[in-house]
Amino acid sequence: HVNFILVSETVCVENKKHLTEKVFKPIVAAKPFFLVGGYKNLQYLQQYGFETFNQLWSENYDNVEDPKKRIDHIFDTIITTVDLYPPIEEQIQEKIKMLNKAHDIALNNRKHFWSDEFYNLLISEAVSNLERAKLELASKRV
């Protein structure tokens, strides 16, 4: 049973919106994840209707512009989230509850990934991007 997956996006030091199959793999597998991505890429993912895990652990790293500081913050968050030492029974039980809730969120994300709502959003975005590209090419007379 995997507690979470650390996703390292292709573009993680440039501060631009960029999501690839890497972040969608744990979503399809219904696994909680931490995203090592560009500035505000978790927020970008949320715009597609996916729920991230900010109700369970801090995702403030998404708001850190400096890439090195963002990555350091991600690792600090992971250490804090999964730290089970010293193994105090009450803390372990709380961590287990938290991770179970994270898996519930991950299951809902998988359902959303395969939903008509997400599919239609992607098709609409693709058509819009194609129209925008056609207009740009026409303005350049290419």
Side-chain angles (χ1 to χ4, degrees), residues 27-42:
I27 288 173
V28 170
K31 300 297 178 193
F33 59 88
F34 288 87
L35 179 61
V36 182
Y39 174 62
K40 296 208 180 261
N41 273 359
L42 279 177

Side-chain angles (χ1 to χ4, degrees), residues 1 13 26 34 36-37 55 76 86 89 99 109 115:
H1 179 50
V13 294
F34 288 87
V36 182
Q55 64 179 306
D76 290 343
E89 185 62 29
L99 292 170
N109 281 337
S115 72

Side-chain angles (χ1 to χ4, degrees), residues 80-139:
T80 303
T81 301
V82 298
D83 181 26
L84 295 176
Y85 297 99
I88 299 169
E89 185 62 29
E90 297 83 36
Q91 289 177 341
I92 292 172
Q93 293 307 313
E94 286 303 310
K95 297 282 182 172
I96 290 170
K97 286 179 188 174
M98 177 193 63
L99 292 170
N100 285 336
K101 288 178 185 174
H103 281 277
D104 289 342
I105 291 169
L107 283 169
N108 287 334
N109 281 337
R110 177 170 58 188
K111 288 177 190 171
H112 178 65
F113 181 87
W114 294 111
S115 72
D116 288 342
E117 176 187 354
F118 183 55
Y119 175 81
N120 292 334
L121 178 63
L122 292 179
I123 294 299
S124 175
E125 183 178 277
V127 169
S128 175
N129 287 343
L130 181 59
E131 291 299 325
R132 191 172 26 249
K134 285 171 35 180
L135 289 172
E136 186 177 330
L137 286 174
S139 72

